[in-house]
């Protein structure tokens, strides 16, 4: 049974149920029909005898029968006998044994000459004539004919009903499972051709299979998006690491072949160190972002974000001074939250360093932190070059750089702002940016404050 297709199994099951149903209904109809026919004919027999009794009367002390009495009606034979069993009125059908004894009160079944007869006798007192018998006889051929006709009709209709059930069940199941075939075909095309652009495209439907197909299409969309991002990520990492790697190799080869003094060797080593630090920074940020992909748990603890922000701002002030940029802080004291300290430090460094990197000499970076309801709101604002509207949404993508020539300090590869967004989201917060070219940018993040 397991080797059969689902369509065939469903068809066989529907056919079996239909056969069972038709069989049960047919048997019930035959039994019930036969019983009803039998009951009706026997009631007709009893009523005919009763009508015969009512038709007997005396006329001038003579026993007579109403002229309107029909001694053969609806298949019932009617006769009147005296107490000596001599026929007075009516008659019996041929083949019926006229010597059949009388018995009052019950309908009897008598078989004679291969025919079944239903006999009903009723006795009345006729005065000087003594007892008079009224006998009704009904052959069983009418009931048997009806019963046989119903049985023949049921047997004739049964094969057609079974065939109709089998064909209808197969067509219905084939139509119902057509989406499954499309799902299987799409999966095979993707598996064989590795083309994630393939879709089932059944559209939206109300039944379970259409919802399954729609879910598969959405899953393929996410898979395609994930693979595209992975390919882009791999290409970007290769591109970003290629430059410092090539510089390290070139400087090392130059130093080995051409450095004749300590100063020349030292200059080459300084260049190698600088490029190695760049690679180390990229790798460190990639490892941090990998925590997002692996859904790694944060190391949560209660942190005074006000003190942490002050410390980071002071550390970044030296970098800002080198570009003739000053940092101004407006920080509400003792703002507590539950968070990962290492990641929150990275969040603040990336935002402030981003403002310094894209700021103008003589400009300012403002760092604000305050309480708003149940949240802590942080803002890092600069008066630098700003971001064009077409780049606003793309700055959160990994390796995307608005100006590759002047990438943010500490990022160098377009990883700083994607890391900012991940850290904020990982802490259950939100982050947004407002910017206008030539007037600077405002990065605002909101984090849930610790419960008092």
């Amino acid at each position: 049974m397991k080797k059969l297709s689902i369509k065939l199994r469903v068809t066989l099951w529907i056919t079996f149920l239909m056969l069972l149903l038709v069989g049960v209904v047919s048997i019930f109809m035959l039994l019930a029909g036969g019983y009803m026919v039998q009951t009706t004919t026997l009631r007709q027999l009893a009523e005919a005898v009763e009508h015969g009794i009512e038709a007997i009367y005396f006329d001038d002390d003579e026993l007579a029968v109403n002229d309107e009495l029909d001694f053969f009606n609806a298949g019932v034979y009617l006769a009147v006998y005296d107490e000596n069993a001599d026929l007075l009125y009516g008659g019996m059908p041929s083949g019926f044994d006229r010597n059949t004894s009388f018995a009052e009160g019950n309908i009897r079944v008598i078989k004679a000459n291969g025919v079944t007869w239903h006999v009903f006798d009723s006795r009345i007192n006729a005065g000087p004539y003594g007892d008079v018998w009224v006998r009704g006889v009904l052959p069983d051929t009418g009931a048997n004919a009806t019963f046989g006709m119903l049985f023949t009709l049921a047997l004739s209709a049964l094969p057609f009903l079974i065939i109709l059930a089998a064909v209808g069940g197969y067509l219905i199941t084939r139509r119902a499972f057509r989406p499954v075939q499309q799902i299987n075909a799409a999966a095979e095309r993707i598996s064989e051709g590795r083309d994630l652009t393939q879709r089932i495209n059944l559209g939206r439907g109300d039944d379970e299979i259409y919802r399954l197909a729609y879910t598969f299409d959405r899953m393929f969309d996410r898979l395609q998006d994930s693979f595209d991002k992975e390919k882009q990520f791999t290409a970007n990492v290769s591109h970003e690491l290629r430059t410092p790697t090539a510089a390290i190799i070139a400087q090392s080869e130059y130093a080995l072949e051409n450095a004749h003094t300590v100063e020349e060797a030292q200059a080459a080593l300084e260049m190698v160190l600088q490029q190695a630090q760049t690679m180390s920074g990229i790798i460190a940020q990639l490892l941090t972002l990998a925590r997002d992909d692996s859904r790694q748990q944060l190391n949560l603890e209660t942190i005074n974000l006000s003190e942490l922000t002050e410390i980071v701002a002071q550390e970044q002030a030296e970098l800002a001074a080198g570009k003739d940029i000053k940092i101004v802080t407006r920080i509400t004291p003792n703002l507590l939250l539950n968070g990962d300290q290492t990641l929150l430090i990275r969040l603040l460094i990336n935002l402030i360093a981003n403002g310094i990197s894209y700021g103008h000499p003589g400009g300012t970076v403002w760092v604000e932190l305050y309480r708003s309801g149940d949240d802590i709101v942080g803002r890092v604002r600069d008066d630098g070059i700003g971001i064009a509207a077409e780049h606003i949404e793309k700055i959160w993508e990994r390796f995307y750089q608005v100006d590759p020539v002047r990438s943010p300090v500490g990022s160098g590869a377009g990883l700083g702002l994607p890391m900012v967004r991940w850290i904020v989201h990982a802490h259950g917060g939100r982050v947004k940016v407002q910017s206008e070219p030539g007037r600077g940018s405002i990065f605002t993040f909101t984090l849930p404050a610790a419960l008092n």
Side-chain angles (χ1 to χ4, degrees):
M1 190 69 175
K2 292 182 179 180
K3 296 182 179 179
L4 299 179
S5 66
I6 296 179
K7 289 188 296 185
L8 185 56
R9 278 185 278 176
V10 172
T11 302
L12 291 176
W13 177 243
I14 292 176
T15 305
F16 170 75
L17 288 181
M18 192 64 187
L19 177 61
L20 182 63
L21 178 62
V22 171
V24 171
V25 172
S26 299
I27 293 173
F28 174 78
M29 289 179 60
L30 291 174
L31 293 178
Y35 174 77
M36 291 177 63
V37 170
Q38 190 79 353
T39 302
T40 300
T41 55
L42 295 181
R43 184 171 64 250
Q44 290 176 348
L45 176 61
E47 290 175 352
V49 172
E50 183 68 24
H51 185 63
I53 293 174
E54 293 175 353
I56 297 174
Y57 67 96
F58 287 96
D59 183 16
D60 297 332
D61 296 329
E62 292 291 332
L63 185 68
V65 178
N66 195 315
D67 292 337
E68 296 180 356
L69 178 64
D70 191 352
F71 289 99
F72 178 75
N73 184 27
V76 178
Y77 294 85
L78 201 63
V80 180
Y81 295 87
D82 61 15
E83 61 183 1
N84 296 321
D86 293 327
L87 180 65
L88 300 177
Y89 298 97
M92 291 289 102
S94 61
F96 179 74
D97 186 2
R98 287 173 168 74
N99 296 321
T100 302
S101 62
F102 292 94
E104 186 179 10
N106 295 317
I107 295 177
R108 295 174 293 163
V109 177
I110 297 175
K111 294 183 179 181
N113 300 322
V115 180
T116 300
W117 309 89
H118 295 283
V119 181
F120 181 56
D121 298 324
S122 183
R123 181 173 55 181
I124 60 174
N125 185 269
Y129 284 91
D131 291 335
V132 175
W133 291 92
V134 178
R135 167 170 284 180
V137 176
L138 176 66
D140 197 30
T141 55
N144 286 335
T146 303
F147 185 85
M149 181 181 66
L150 290 174
F151 184 75
T152 303
L153 180 63
L155 288 180
S156 300
L158 183 60
F160 293 101
L161 291 174
I162 294 174
I163 294 173
L164 179 64
V167 173
Y170 178 79
L171 293 177
I172 291 173
T173 53
R174 187 179 68 174
R175 181 177 180 84
F177 282 97
R178 187 176 300 162
V180 176
Q181 294 176 338
Q182 292 181 244
I183 294 173
N184 183 59
E188 287 181 352
R189 289 195 300 270
I190 292 173
S191 176
E192 295 173 358
R194 298 183 180 180
D195 182 7
L196 288 176
T197 62
Q198 295 288 335
R199 296 294 181 271
I200 302 168
N201 290 326
L202 285 182
R204 299 299 297 268
D206 295 329
D207 61 34
E208 294 81 0
I209 295 181
Y210 272 84
R211 289 199 295 269
L212 176 63
Y214 179 78
T215 302
F216 267 105
D217 279 343
R218 301 291 74 75
M219 181 187 70
F220 291 147
D221 288 340
R222 291 192 295 271
L223 285 175
Q224 182 181 1
D225 183 63
S226 297
F227 278 109
D228 289 344
K229 286 183 177 179
E230 181 181 355
K231 289 168 62 178
Q232 185 64 38
F233 178 79
T234 303
N236 289 334
V237 170
S238 300
H239 175 74
E240 294 298 331
L241 293 180
R242 183 185 303 160
T243 300
T245 302
I248 290 174
I249 294 173
Q251 289 297 322
S252 298
E253 290 176 347
Y254 175 82
L256 289 173
E257 295 176 2
N258 302 305
H260 302 292
T261 65
V262 175
E263 289 77 9
E264 290 178 345
Q266 184 175 1
L269 288 175
E270 287 176 355
M271 179 61 70
V272 169
L273 177 61
Q274 182 181 354
Q275 296 300 326
Q277 288 174 339
T278 300
M279 291 180 61
S280 177
I282 294 174
I283 293 171
Q285 294 193 70
L286 288 174
L287 290 175
T288 302
L289 287 172
R291 296 176 64 179
D292 177 30
D293 298 330
S294 63
R295 300 296 187 268
Q296 185 174 340
Q297 299 256 343
L298 304 181
N299 298 317
L300 298 178
E301 56 182 317
T302 301
I303 297 172
N304 189 325
L305 189 60
S306 301
E307 293 181 356
L308 196 65
T309 305
E310 287 282 7
I311 293 172
V312 173
Q314 291 175 7
E315 291 177 350
Q316 293 296 305
E318 182 178 351
L319 175 64
K323 292 192 62 175
D324 193 20
I325 294 175
K326 65 179 179 178
I327 295 179
V328 177
T329 60
R330 297 171 184 172
I331 299 174
T332 301
N334 298 320
L335 296 178
L336 305 179
L337 59 73
N338 294 319
D340 188 310
Q341 180 170 302
T342 302
L343 294 181
L344 291 174
I345 291 174
R346 174 54 58 185
L347 163 69
L348 296 168
I349 290 175
N350 285 0
L351 287 178
I352 297 173
N354 187 77
I356 296 171
S357 178
Y358 289 111
H360 294 301
T364 305
V365 174
W366 292 269
V367 180
E368 302 177 48
L369 196 69
Y370 58 91
R371 181 76 176 257
S372 177
D374 294 332
D375 296 323
I376 297 175
V377 179
R379 300 178 68 199
V380 178
R381 179 167 61 95
D382 65 71
D383 52 4
I385 64 175
I387 305 171
E390 63 269 20
H391 298 296
I392 290 293
E393 293 301 322
K394 297 180 180 180
I395 62 174
W396 307 111
E397 298 177 5
R398 298 177 186 181
F399 295 103
Y400 184 81
Q401 298 179 59
V402 177
D403 184 0
V405 177
R406 301 177 60 201
S407 58
V409 177
S411 172
L415 295 173
L417 293 180
M419 185 180 297
V420 166
R421 185 177 65 170
W422 170 68
I423 294 172
V424 172
H425 288 175
H427 285 81
R430 305 179 302 278
V431 63
K432 63 181 181 178
V433 60
Q434 297 171 279
S435 187
E436 185 177 344
R439 304 192 63 178
S441 304
I442 304 174
F443 288 86
T444 304
F445 63 87
T446 303
L447 298 173
L451 299 177
N452 296 328

